[in-house]
C-alpha cells in the first residue's frame, strides 16, 4: 500500500515562504507516476497546485505558478512544495497525492497538513 | 480554466435513500471526470474515474454517468458511512479543477 506523509511548519508568517515535504513509502518515486500538491482552505473546496514527475517535468496551476516550485528528491523518495510570498489566503490544509496511472486523477493521498499564515 | 459546478451544495437524506449529485463542466471534457468522497478531517478518496469506472474497493452502490458537460454521481441506497462531502474533478485539461462539493447530511 502506497503511503504519503506531509511534513512542515504549521505556521508561516505573511510574505515568507511555505515549505512542505511529502515522503512516499512502499513505492519508489523513480518507478514512475506524477506526484502532486492539492490544497483546501478551511471549510472550502479543493485547489490543485501542481504535479511533478521523477524526471523533474512539472505542471503548475497558472493562478499560483509565479509563486510555486515543486521539486523531487529521488534519493530520499520525497517531493517538496515551496510557495513564496504567502498571505492569509494561503491558509489551508495541504495534501500531497499520486496521479492515478496515466490519467490526471489522484488515487493515493497524504492525510493533509494545516498551514496557517499569520504574524 | 474549466469551471466545475456541483448541485446541490448540500442534501439531507436517510439511510436507504437514493441520492443523486450532479456536476456540470463549463466546457466539454469528454469522460475525463472523477468523483471523490471526503469525510471530516480526512483526505479525499477516489470513488469513480473516467466518469463511470468504479475504483477498486468502492461499493457497487456508487455509480457515475455522463459525458461532455453533464455528469451524475448516484448512491443507490445510502449507508451510514456515506455521509460525507463529495467532489467532482475534471482531468481534461490544465489546470485541473474541482467542483465546490456536495455535503450529504443525515435527515
Amino acid at each position: 500500500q502506497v503511503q504519503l506523509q506531509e511534513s512542515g511548519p504549521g505556521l508561516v508568517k505573511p510574505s515568507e515562504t511555505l515549505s512542505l515535504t511529502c515522503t512516499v513509502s512502499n513505492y519508489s518515486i523513480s518507478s514512475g507516476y506524477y506526484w502532486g500538491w492539492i490544497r483546501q482552505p478551511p471549510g472550502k473546496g479543493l485547489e490543485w497546485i501542481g504535479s511533478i514527475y521523477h524526471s523533474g517535468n512539472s505542471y503548475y496551476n497558472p493562478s499560483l505558478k509565479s509563486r510555486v516550485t515543486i521539486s523531487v528528491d529521488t534519493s530520499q523518495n520525497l517531493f517538496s512544495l515551496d510557495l513564496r510570498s504567502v498571505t492569509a489566503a494561503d491558509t489551508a490544509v495541504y495534501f500531497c497525492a499520486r496521479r492515478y496511472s496515466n490519467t490526471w486523477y489522484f488515487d493515493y493521498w497524504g492525510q493533509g497538513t494545516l498551514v496557517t499564515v499569520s504574524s | 480554466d474549466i469551471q466545475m459546478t456541483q448541485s446541490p451544495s448540500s442534501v439531507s437524506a436517510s439511510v436507504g435513500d437514493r441520492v443523486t449529485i450532479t456536476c456540470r463542466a463549463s466546457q466539454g471534457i469528454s469522460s475525463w471526470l472523477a468523483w471523490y468522497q471526503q469525510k471530516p478531517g480526512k483526505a479525499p478518496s477516489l470513488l469513480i474515474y473516467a466518469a463511470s469506472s468504479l475504483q477498486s474497493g468502492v461499493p457497487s452502490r456508487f455509480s457515475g454517468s455522463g459525458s461532455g458537460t453533464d455528469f451524475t454521481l448516484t448512491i443507490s441506497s445510502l449507508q451510514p458511512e456515506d455521509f460525507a462531502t463529495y467532489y467532482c474533478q475534471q482531468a481534461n485539461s490544465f489546470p485541473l479543477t474541482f467542483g465546490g462539493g456536495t455535503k450529504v447530511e443525515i435527515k
Side-chain angles (χ1 to χ4, degrees):
Chain A
Q1 176 88 343
V2 180
Q3 293 182 318
L4 296 86
Q5 178 69 57
E6 304 89 350
S7 59
L11 181 64
V12 180
K13 290 182 168 56
S15 80
E16 296 189 344
T17 296
L18 180 161
S19 294
L20 296 174
T21 295
C22 181
T23 302
V24 179
S25 303
N26 302 323
Y27 188 85
S28 171
I29 285 181
S30 298
S31 296
Y33 290 101
Y34 273 82
W35 306 84
W37 291 95
I38 296 143
R39 70 180 183 177
Q40 183 172 39
K44 296 188 177 180
L46 299 158
E47 180 181 33
W48 172 71
I49 299 170
S51 296
I52 192 165
Y53 197 59
H54 65 82
S55 63
N57 191 48
S58 58
Y59 298 93
Y60 295 117
N61 192 323
S63 69
L64 297 167
K65 186 174 183 177
S66 65
R67 298 193 292 131
V68 170
T69 300
I70 298 175
S71 57
V72 62
D73 185 338
T74 54
S75 66
Q76 296 197 63
N77 215 44
L78 58 81
F79 59 104
S80 300
L81 169 70
D82 284 332
L83 179 63
R84 297 173 291 278
S85 303
V86 297
T87 69
D90 295 309
T91 293
V93 175
Y94 286 76
F95 296 100
C96 57
R98 189 186 81 167
R99 187 181 91 160
Y100 177 51
S101 186
N102 61 349
T103 72
W104 282 107
Y105 313 116
F106 299 96
D107 60 350
Y108 287 99
W109 295 65
Q111 64 186 24
T113 187
L114 174 63
V115 180
T116 302
V117 178
S118 175
S119 56
Chain B
D1 298 7
I2 297 175
Q3 307 303 316
M4 306 301 293
T5 303
Q6 285 184 236
S7 61
S9 57
S10 66
V11 57
S12 294
S14 301
V15 172
D17 284 353
R18 181 182 184 90
V19 173
T20 299
I21 298 168
T22 64
C23 179
R24 175 164 289 176
S26 61
Q27 63 190 75
I29 59 170
S30 186
S31 295
W32 294 108
L33 184 104
W35 291 96
Y36 298 86
Q37 177 192 69
Q38 186 179 34
K39 296 182 178 179
K42 302 294 186 182
S45 176
L46 181 63
L47 295 175
I48 301 280
Y49 64 94
S52 61
S53 296
L54 200 65
Q55 174 67 341
S56 176
V58 174
S60 59
R61 63 181 179 272
F62 291 93
S63 64
S65 64
S67 67
T69 60
D70 294 311
F71 302 87
T72 299
L73 172 70
T74 299
I75 310 172
S76 60
S77 178
L78 198 65
Q79 298 301 300
E81 60 268 30
D82 301 336
F83 291 97
T85 300
Y86 294 84
Y87 293 93
C88 60
Q89 178 229 324
Q90 66 83 15
N92 180 76
S93 61
F94 292 123
L96 307 175
T97 48
F98 293 82
T102 296
K103 187 173 184 179
V104 178
E105 300 174 299
I106 301 172
K107 191 171 185 178

